[in-house]
Amino acid sequence: LKDIASLIPKTMAEEMGFNHTRLIMKLRSPVNLSAKDIIRMAFYFALDARLIFSQCLKDVNSNKDLTGKLTKFRNLREIRTKK
C-alpha cells in the first residue's frame, strides 16, 4: 500500500473523507488502517474491500519488525494469568 501513497493527491484524500497526511501515514503503515478506512477506500475506488484487506495483511506480514511488535499482544494473556 505504501507504493500507492505517493499517487493519492490531497483532493482525492479529502473526497474520501481523510486528512491527506494521516492517510499517507496509514498507507505507509497499514496496521493503522481501520476496517472503516479500508471500506471507505474500497467504495471510492470501486474495489472489493477484501483486496485491500489482503494487501494490508501482506504488507504487515512482510514487515518483521512490525510482526515482532504485534506478537507481544499474545503475551498479554500470560501477564493476566500470572496475577
Side-chain angles (χ1 to χ4, degrees):
L1 290 173
K2 60 183 158 189
D3 294 337
I4 67 165
S6 62
L7 302 174
I8 297 180
K10 186 175 182 178
T11 53
M12 185 184 292
E14 289 173 353
E15 285 176 357
M16 286 189 279
F18 290 105
N19 172 289
H20 182 256
T21 304
R22 196 166 298 141
L23 177 61
I24 298 306
M25 288 172 40
K26 288 181 177 190
L27 290 173
R28 290 184 180 153
S29 182
V31 74
N32 295 323
L33 281 169
S34 69
K36 180 180 175 182
D37 296 337
I38 292 170
I39 293 168
R40 190 182 329 174
M41 286 191 300
F43 279 123
Y44 185 83
F45 293 116
L47 293 172
D48 185 348
R50 290 176 288 189
L51 293 172
I52 300 173
F53 276 111
S54 176
Q55 188 59 46
C56 285
L57 286 173
K58 287 178 187 176
D59 290 353
V60 169
N61 288 330
S62 69
N63 185 334
K64 301 237 186 266
D65 290 335
L66 181 58
T67 53
K69 291 176 185 176
L70 291 173
T71 56
K72 290 182 182 179
F73 287 110
R74 292 183 189 164
N75 294 331
L76 288 177
R77 287 187 203 127
E78 294 173 16
I79 293 170
R80 289 183 187 141
T81 58
K82 289 182 182 179
K83 287 183 178 180

